[in-house]
């Protein structure tokens, strides 16, 4: 979530995390995601979030999270808050993803302006 990825239109920023989660890792990953999202929902600039699980279709990503922030500034403010919270509970997302054999695709998105 860097400033180089700022929303061009100055509007909402959508953090989209897509995961390929092995069945054996599902419950642990969901618990970590839920804990993180509880924290996110209490932050200034949070708009809404979604936790989605694939139930049909050929797509490879079976869990997707989407968080809408009011601006890139809101995203920038929350990054150190989340990092500190994870450190307090000794949670390292990268280590957990690697240990559980999860693959992740994580990026910030913005809306495409209407024509």
């Amino acid at each position: 979530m860097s400033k180089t990825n700022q929303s061009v239109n100055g509007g909402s920023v959508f953090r989209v995390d897509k995961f390929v989660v092995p069945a054996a890792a599902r419950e642990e990953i969901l618990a970590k995601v839920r804990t993180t999202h509880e924290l996110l929902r209490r932050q200034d600039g949070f708009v809404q979030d979604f936790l989605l699980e694939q139930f049909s279709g050929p797509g490879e990503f079976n869990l997707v999270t989407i968080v809408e922030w009011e601006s890139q500034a809101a995203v920038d403010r929350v990054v150190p808050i989340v990092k500190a919270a994870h450190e307090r509970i000794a949670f390292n997302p990268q280590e957990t993803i690697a240990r559980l054999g999860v693959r992740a695709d994580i990026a910030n998105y913005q809306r495409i302006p209407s024509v």
Side-chain angles (χ1 to χ4, degrees), residues 19-97:
F19 302 100
V20 177
V21 179
R26 181 182 181 275
E27 291 308 314
E28 184 173 346
I29 289 295
L30 284 175
K32 299 298 187 190
V33 167
R34 287 182 177 124
T35 298
T36 299
H37 279 241
E38 287 171 12
L39 172 65
L40 297 178
R41 290 182 194 116
R42 296 190 306 265
Q43 303 309 307
D44 289 337
F46 172 87
V47 177
Q48 64 180 334
D49 66 333
F50 300 93
L51 173 56
L52 308 172
E53 185 168 32
Q54 180 184 15
F55 69 93
S56 69
E60 73 174 312
F61 297 104
N62 54 339
L63 287 179
V64 177
T65 67
I66 302 171
V67 179
E68 181 180 1
W69 296 97
E70 67 183 11
S71 66
Q72 183 62 46
V75 173
D76 293 342
R77 285 190 304 270
V78 79
V79 169
I81 294 168
V82 171
K83 183 177 179 182
H86 285 170
E87 287 173 358
R88 279 193 300 279
I89 62 171
F91 171 51
N92 180 320
Q94 293 78 19
E95 182 278 329
T96 301
I97 286 170

Side-chain angles (χ1 to χ4, degrees), residues 11-23:
S12 293
V13 173
F14 297 84
R15 167 71 180 246
V16 180
D17 297 356
K18 300 177 285 191
F19 302 100
V20 177
V21 179

